[in-house]
């Protein structure tokens, strides 16, 4: 059979004119498909390839892609954490006026203006004229002094004028102009990796690869008069009495031991003491039957030593942990009601109840022998005010702290050790009792989306990590329309509870100062969702300010905000594993409260402090870098054991108190 004519002609053309045949070009390498194209290509088995081999390679490629996605997310979180600590360091140690949501453009502009450049709003940067030589020396001196307050050391700038400082930066960072903005971050991180070999530990304002806190402290110590607290603001120091000073029968356990303890405190010039008034002891057996006899004896002894008293209205339980030696439960009649109606307690998604405190869902429900939750709290506070009216008239009580949740803190019991939680778990939402669920259904109906009347089903367990859940992970459901609705309702329930109780507390105590304790939930603070804060009731992801609504409420009631200060340096391992940032959280909370005109106080945790931790506590209480001179109105020192036992957490508690009082200069005694 003959071929068609067109094919013959084509062959003849190639035969007649071989000199015009184009040279064969090398075939370009096909691009490897990516993304959805890669998935589609992997799903099609090429001819001649066994199907089993194709499926195996496809599965392997998919796993590699998933691993690369996770690595990319981790790198991004790490980059954001570095940026946030850079901003915190510039604010805290350099007094740079950076916005609350500053980005790297704001940082560059602030640094350029500090160096004497002019930066226009559109980014145009220029300098009118070079500064005189003596001005350069003044700038250099300013940088040298600041090195005691920031990670920069004076030796790195000793040979550079202000103008030369900017010129010296490219060789240090080695930035290629062809690099993209994302690549710039990688270069900076790489340079910090090399620097970390010299300073191997972490600093509160730097990443785990940056300067070590010990090096920063050494720089601080090297500056003249750095630890001179003489003439600084007077911050009163209160010491908390041991929990077992009053037993479960409302009797003073050890009067003579108490006198020895108060004598030690007087010798240290302690300003006053903190006394917990336990609801489970005073109204422990019958409703509205209050027994204050032990507290009357206690207050009379304290009065002998001429010390002020701050009392705590403790509406929570104490001591249901393995390490606790004292157990104080909620009133027994409350527990009896709870056996018949378990929904008076906070409940997690699995239906497990915690008896740490009453659910806020019953604040206005008459389920406690004909009284609502807030009525029970008010009756207790009014009974205290009436019983000790004579001591109020004598001015013995300087303030009253209102317990608003577990451990007396304004939060949900989301990370209870009794429920199996261990640090740094994200905790669980506590909104599954029938009363809070009714409130949630009402809120969803008012919003017009009744199907939103549910808690998230992908928020993990008590000890989950954010990236292990669909709700708290990067770009998770916490930032969806439903997620924002639920988290807003959850946080609003917290502020509504505080508003209800504080309104009645103001009536009970009239002109007496009222205190509210705010927790320090600092783990997972460097992530986008701030998962642990969300489950605790603070809607504070990276794109929200979860503390401003709370502080606006406290301002409404003229309340003093007491914040728990850790004072401890987070180790590099903990910072990596838990993305913890107590320094960043402390900076946000304290400045947010001060900006709203709130009086602010502090309290330490029970952990022991080293020398650097003590200095951090003092510097937080009355920062010498604060241009407005803001400081704590008082500080509460919690001791792990009585002073008479000879165990003092601070290397020199006497020195610490004198520093708080502004009476001493010098360094701590080792």
């Amino acid at each position: 059979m003959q071929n068609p004519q067109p094919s013959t002609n084509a062959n003849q053309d190639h035969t007649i004119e071989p000199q015009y045949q184009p040279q064969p070009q090398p075939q370009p390498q096909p691009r490897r498909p990516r993304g959805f194209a890669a998935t589609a290509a992997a799903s099609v088995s090429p001819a001649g390839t066994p199907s089993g081999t194709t499926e195996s390679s496809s599965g392997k490629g998919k796993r590699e892609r998933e691993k690369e996605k996770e690595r990319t997310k981790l790198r991004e979180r790490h980059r954001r954490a570095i940026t946030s600590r850079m901003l915190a360091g510039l604010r805290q140690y350099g007094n740079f006026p950076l916005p609350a949501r500053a980005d790297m453009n704001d940082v560059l502009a602030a640094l350029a203006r500090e160096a004497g450049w002019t930066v226009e709003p559109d980014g145009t940067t220029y300098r009118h004229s070079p500064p005189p030589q003596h001005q350069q020396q003044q700038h250099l001196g300013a940088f040298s002094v600041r090195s005691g307050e920031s990670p920069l050391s004076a030796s790195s700038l000793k040979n550079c004028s202000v103008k030369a400082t900017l010129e010296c930066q490219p060789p240090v960072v080695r930035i290629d102009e062809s690099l993209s903005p994302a690549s710039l971050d990688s270069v900076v991180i790489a340079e910090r990796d090399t620097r970390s070999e010299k300073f191997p530990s972490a600093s509160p304002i730097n990443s785990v690869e940056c300067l070590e806190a010990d090096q920063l402290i050494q720089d601080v110590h090297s500056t003249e008069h750095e630890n001179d607290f003489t003439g600084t603001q007077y911050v009163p120091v209160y010491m908390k009495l041991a929990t077992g000073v009053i037993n479960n029968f409302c009797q003073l356990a050890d009067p003579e031991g108490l006198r020895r303890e108060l004598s030690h405190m007087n010798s240290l010039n302690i300003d006053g003491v903190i006394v917990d008034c336990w609801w489970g002891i005073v109204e422990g057996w019958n409703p509205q039957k209050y027994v204050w006899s032990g507290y009357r004896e206690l207050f009379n002894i304290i009065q002998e030593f001429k010390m002020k008293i701050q009392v705590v209205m403790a509406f929570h339980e104490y001591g249901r942990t393995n390490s606790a030696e004292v157990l104080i439960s909620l009133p027994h009649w409350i527990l009896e009601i709870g056996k018949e109606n378990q929904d008076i307690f906070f409940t997690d998604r699995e239906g497990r109840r915690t008896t740490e405190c009453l659910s806020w869902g019953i604040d206005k429900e008459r389920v406690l022998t004909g009284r609502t939750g807030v009525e029970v709290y008010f009756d207790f506070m009014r009974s205290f005010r009436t019983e000790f009216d004579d001591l109020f008239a004598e001015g013995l009580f300087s303030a009253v702290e209102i317990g608003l949740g577990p451990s007396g803190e304004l939060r949900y019991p989301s990370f209870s050790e009794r429920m199996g939680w261990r640090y740094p778990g994200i905790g669980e939402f506590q909104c599954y009792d029938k009363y809070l669920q009714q409130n949630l259904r009402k809120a969803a109906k008012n919003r017009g989306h009744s199907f939103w009347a549910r808690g998230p089903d992908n928020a993990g367990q008590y000890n989950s990590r954010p990236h292990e859940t669909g709700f708290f992970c990067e770009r998770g459901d916490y930032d969806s329309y439903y997620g924002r609705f639920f988290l807003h309702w959850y946080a609003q329930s917290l502020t509504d509870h505080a508003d209800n109780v504080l309104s009645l507390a103001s009536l009970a105590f009239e002109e007496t100062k009222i205190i509210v304790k705010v927790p320090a939930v600092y783990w997972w603070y460097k992530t986008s969702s701030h998962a642990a804060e969300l489950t605790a009731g603070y809607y504070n992801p990276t794109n929200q300010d979860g503390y401003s609504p709370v502080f606006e409420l406290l301002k409404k009631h003229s309340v003093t905000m007491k914040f728990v200060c850790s004072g401890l340096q987070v180790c590099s391992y903990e910072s990596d594993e838990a993305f913890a940032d107590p320094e960043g959280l402390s900076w946000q909370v304290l400045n947010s409260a001060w900006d709203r005109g709130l009086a602010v106080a502090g309290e330490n945790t029970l952990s022991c402090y080293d020398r650097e931790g003590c200095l951090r506590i003092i510097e937080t209480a009355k920062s010498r870098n604060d241009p407005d001179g803001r400081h704590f109105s008082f500080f509460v020192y919690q001791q792990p054991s009585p002073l008479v036992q000879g165990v003092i957490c601070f290397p020199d508690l006497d020195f610490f108190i004198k520093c708080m009082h502004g009476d001493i200069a010098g360094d701590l005694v080792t």
Side-chain angles (χ1 to χ4, degrees):
M1 183 176 180
Q2 295 182 353
N3 292 331
Q5 187 63 30
S7 299
T8 303
N9 294 337
N11 292 335
Q12 291 175 356
D13 292 339
H14 285 292
T15 304
I16 294 172
E17 298 179 348
Q19 65 274 21
Y20 298 107
Q21 181 177 0
Q23 295 295 326
Q25 298 293 332
Q27 294 296 325
Q29 294 293 331
R31 294 182 61 185
R32 186 175 66 178
R34 297 185 180 183
F36 294 108
T39 305
S43 62
V44 180
S45 176
T49 303
S51 60
T53 304
T54 303
E55 294 175 358
S56 175
S57 61
S58 174
K60 182 178 180 180
K62 184 176 181 180
R63 288 192 297 271
E64 289 298 326
R65 289 191 297 274
E66 292 298 327
K67 290 181 180 179
E68 180 59 29
K69 288 181 180 179
E70 290 300 321
R71 286 193 290 267
T72 301
K73 290 179 181 179
L74 287 175
R75 285 194 295 268
E76 178 65 16
R77 285 197 293 265
H78 185 65
R79 186 188 67 80
R80 291 182 180 180
I82 291 174
T83 302
S84 66
R85 283 189 295 279
M86 289 172 60
L87 298 177
L90 291 173
R91 291 188 184 101
Q92 181 176 358
Y93 294 96
N95 292 328
F96 284 96
L98 297 176
R101 302 294 179 184
D103 57 16
M104 294 310 297
N105 290 338
D106 298 314
V107 174
L108 290 174
L111 292 174
R113 292 188 182 103
E114 181 71 14
W117 294 75
T118 300
V119 181
E120 299 291 349
D122 62 353
T124 303
T125 304
Y126 57 90
R127 196 168 202 164
H128 290 290
S129 61
Q133 183 67 24
H134 71 277
Q135 292 185 8
Q136 296 182 12
Q137 296 298 330
Q138 290 177 358
H139 282 297
L140 175 58
F143 274 107
S144 301
V145 173
R146 179 169 293 175
S147 67
E149 305 169 0
S150 68
L152 294 175
S153 63
S155 61
S156 64
L157 297 172
K158 62 183 180 181
N159 294 323
C160 293
S161 65
V162 175
K163 180 177 179 180
T165 300
L166 295 178
E167 297 173 353
C168 291
Q169 289 179 358
V172 175
V173 184
R174 296 195 300 275
I175 298 179
D176 189 344
E177 295 181 356
S178 64
L179 293 176
S180 64
S183 301
L184 295 181
D185 293 331
S186 302
V187 173
V188 174
I189 293 173
E191 288 298 321
R192 294 186 176 192
D193 288 339
T194 60
R195 191 180 301 179
S196 66
E197 297 176 1
K198 182 177 180 181
F199 308 109
S201 300
S203 171
I205 59 169
N206 294 281
S207 67
V208 294
E209 291 84 7
C210 294
L211 288 174
E212 156 68 342
D214 292 340
Q215 176 69 19
L216 179 59
I217 294 296
Q218 291 173 7
D219 289 343
V220 172
H221 287 177
S222 65
T223 57
E224 186 178 4
H225 307 304
E226 183 63 27
N227 293 326
D228 187 353
F229 292 96
T230 303
T232 57
Q233 299 92 340
Y234 185 97
V235 177
V237 178
Y238 286 74
M239 187 167 287
K240 196 164 189 175
L241 293 181
T243 303
V245 66
I246 299 291
N247 63 26
N248 286 326
F249 300 98
C250 202
Q251 300 170 342
L252 187 59
D254 184 7
E256 292 306 317
L258 173 65
R259 284 188 167 88
R260 291 194 298 272
E261 183 77 1
L262 293 175
S263 178
H264 278 79
M265 293 182 184
N266 252 347
S267 67
L268 293 170
N269 292 319
I270 292 290
D271 296 274
V273 295
I274 308 294
V275 177
D276 291 316
C277 294
W278 294 98
W279 180 36
I281 292 178
V282 176
E283 196 182 0
W285 302 99
N286 296 292
Q288 295 183 287
K289 300 294 182 181
Y290 306 100
V291 180
W292 296 103
S293 55
Y295 285 100
R296 170 66 71 173
E297 185 178 359
L298 172 62
F299 295 151
N300 288 338
I301 293 177
I302 297 174
Q303 195 174 23
E304 295 175 8
F305 289 85
K306 303 185 185 308
M307 302 177 75
K308 294 291 184 179
I309 302 175
Q310 290 184 7
V311 292
V312 180
M313 302 287 101
F315 297 111
H316 59 280
E317 71 172 15
Y318 174 87
R320 291 191 183 272
T321 60
N322 296 331
S323 60
E325 298 179 357
V326 179
L327 174 62
I328 302 175
S329 67
L330 296 184
H332 292 278
W333 60 274
I334 288 287
L335 299 179
E336 290 297 322
I337 294 175
K339 292 178 181 179
E340 301 295 329
N341 181 11
Q342 295 185 359
D343 286 290
I344 66 173
F345 302 120
F346 282 107
T347 309
D348 62 20
R349 185 173 180 81
E350 300 297 325
R352 292 168 291 187
R353 321 280 181 169
T354 175
T355 58
E356 288 187 72
C357 57
L358 295 179
S359 168
W360 303 333
I362 65 169
D363 277 357
K364 297 184 178 181
E365 299 287 340
R366 296 191 177 279
V367 294
L368 304 177
T369 63
R371 292 185 293 168
T372 65
V374 292
E375 287 175 348
V376 168
Y377 303 142
F378 176 68
D379 290 343
F380 181 85
M381 293 185 288
R382 183 172 56 182
S383 172
F384 176 84
R385 180 63 179 82
T386 303
E387 177 69 22
F388 300 106
D389 182 67
D390 56 324
L391 300 183
F392 273 97
E394 295 175 11
L396 181 63
F397 301 112
S398 61
V400 177
E401 180 179 331
I402 309 299
L404 294 173
S407 300
E409 299 172 343
L410 179 57
R411 64 174 176 86
Y412 287 87
S414 56
F415 45 91
S416 172
E417 292 186 5
R418 293 180 54 195
M419 310 304 289
W421 174 86
R422 295 295 181 269
Y423 179 86
I426 60 176
E428 287 194 23
F429 292 113
Q430 304 290 317
C431 59
Y432 293 94
D433 62 84
K434 69 179 182 181
Y435 301 106
L436 284 178
Q437 285 293 298
Q438 289 174 1
N439 293 341
L440 178 57
R441 285 193 291 270
K442 181 179 179 181
K445 183 178 179 180
N446 292 339
R447 181 68 182 271
H449 303 289
S450 298
F451 56 92
W452 281 355
R454 57 178 177 82
D457 54 7
N458 58 348
Q461 306 295 329
Y462 284 100
N463 295 313
S464 298
R465 282 19 179 192
H467 62 273
E468 298 172 349
T469 72
F471 192 80
F472 298 115
C473 66
E474 195 81 14
R475 299 181 181 179
D477 291 343
Y478 78 92
D479 204 28
S480 64
Y481 287 109
Y482 158 73
R484 292 195 292 269
F485 159 78
F486 172 79
L487 292 172
H488 179 269
W489 168 83
Y490 191 72
Q492 186 63 46
S493 297
L494 177 141
T495 54
D496 287 346
H497 168 70
D499 192 16
N500 293 332
V501 177
L502 291 177
S503 296
L504 296 179
S506 299
L507 294 176
F509 296 111
E510 298 174 344
E511 301 300 324
T512 306
K513 181 195 299 182
I514 294 178
I515 303 168
V516 169
K517 186 176 177 181
V518 173
V521 187
Y522 56 81
W523 53 102
W524 306 115
Y525 186 81
K526 298 176 187 175
T527 61
S528 299
S529 60
H530 293 214
E533 291 174 273
L534 296 185
T535 59
Y538 289 87
Y539 187 18
N540 191 51
T542 54
N543 57 353
Q544 292 279 342
D545 182 2
Y547 294 93
S548 59
V550 176
F551 294 156
E552 291 291 349
L553 172 67
L554 300 186
K555 178 65 175 178
K556 166 187 170 184
H557 294 285
S558 302
V559 168
T560 296
M561 189 278 291
K562 184 170 72 173
F563 183 66
V564 179
C565 305
S566 68
L568 290 174
Q569 180 67 37
V570 176
C571 65
S572 58
Y573 174 79
E574 179 182 346
S575 180
D576 283 343
E577 293 298 312
F579 288 89
D581 190 6
E583 309 293 340
L585 174 65
S586 176
W587 189 93
Q588 178 188 0
V589 171
L590 296 180
N591 282 278
S592 180
W594 275 323
D595 289 345
R596 283 160 182 80
L598 281 177
V600 176
E603 178 177 300
N604 69 300
T605 60
L606 287 176
S607 304
C608 294
Y609 299 130
D610 55 10
R611 177 166 56 179
E612 288 76 12
C614 180
L615 289 173
R616 281 191 291 270
I617 287 287
I618 300 171
E619 191 65 32
T620 301
K622 46 179 180 179
S623 175
R624 287 162 295 179
N625 296 326
D626 193 322
D628 300 320
R630 300 176 297 188
H631 58 89
F632 286 177
S633 58
F634 64 88
F635 184 83
V636 177
Y637 172 60
Q638 291 191 90
Q639 51 184 340
S641 60
L643 291 176
V644 295
Q645 296 182 7
V647 179
I648 300 178
C649 279
F650 286 106
D652 190 340
L653 183 56
D654 177 61
F655 182 89
F656 170 77
I657 295 171
K658 288 180 179 178
C659 288
M660 284 293 193
H661 290 170
D663 294 337
I664 197 168
D667 199 358
L668 289 174
V669 180
T670 55

